[in-house]
Amino acid sequence: MKILCVCGLGQGTSLILRMNVETVLRDLGISADVENTDVSAASSMPSDYIITSNELAQTLEAASADVIVVHNYFDISEIKGALQDKIY
Amino acid sequence: MKFLEEHLVNLDVSVSSAEEAIRMAGRLLVEDDLADPRYVDAMVDSYKINGPYFVLSPQIALPHARPEDGVKEASVSFVRLKEPVVFGHAANDPVQLVFGLGASSSEEHLKLLQKLMRLLGTSSNIEKLKNAPCFSEITKLF
């Protein structure tokens, strides 16, 4: 399974999201290849899931991956809930 | 690598817009010679182009740009706004705590973000950051 964590620049925000997503996946016992990138690269990168903010989700509608929206990037329980809803 | 050192922290700053808040956080990096002035413009440009996605959680923004936009050293500044301002984020507005990230491509970049995640991942710390009377109270949180 390939997961992309996406932000505007692929530098800071998406890296924070990726670290928290990796924590959640470990807790859930799901193994996945997680990468962070910027919004323009994400559309052309093959992946199963894209995790991003509501603000950028609309830009990624054309992507073939399932888009998962996270509002609070520091809230592990929100991230866990969002992943469980989509991945299970 | 510089993380919330005293001269990188400015408490109870009055601003009237999100752009002004971003510039205040960026200016602290420039004044400490951690970034070129053009980095601050790039932070604002990113906000204008990509929107307020860097409002990571309620009340907290992490404006930044790319390493090649003029960062000299991996760093994080902090501006606490006297009055919160609207960044235009659907879920996390208004913003009161602004962390300016000097993004680098070094290993230190990862370390800084981990420090920031430890600080902001503990929800009780948010209230403490909002209410700390002075810089020394903030240093107790990390």
Side-chain angles (χ1 to χ4, degrees), chain A residues 6-21 23 36 38-40 52-56 59 70-76 78, chain B residues 46 50-58 60 62 64-69 88-92 101 103-105 109-110 113-114 116-117 120-121:
Chain A
V6 176
C7 75
L9 301 172
Q11 299 290 339
T13 313
S14 58
L15 193 52
I16 287 177
L17 184 59
R18 178 181 140 195
M19 290 190 272
N20 282 333
V21 164
T23 302
N36 62 298
D38 67 72
V39 68
S40 50
T52 190
S53 67
N54 184 47
E55 271 64 24
L56 296 176
T59 327
V70 169
H71 295 298
N72 184 343
Y73 280 28
F74 294 114
D75 186 345
I76 295 289
E78 184 195 330
Chain B
S46 171
N50 297 308
Y53 73 88
F54 55 86
V55 182
L56 298 184
S57 63
I60 297 172
L62 181 71
H64 62 280
R66 297 177 199 269
E68 59 268 31
D69 292 322
H89 192 284
N92 297 334
L101 171 66
S104 84
S105 46
H109 179 60
L110 201 62
L113 290 179
Q114 284 166 338
L116 199 60
M117 284 164 65
L120 302 176

Side-chain angles (χ1 to χ4, degrees), chain B residues 16-17 21 33 41 49-50 54 63 74 82 100 110:
Chain B
S16 53
S17 68
D33 203 29
D41 295 329
I49 294 165
N50 297 308
F54 55 86
K82 197 166 187 198
L110 201 62

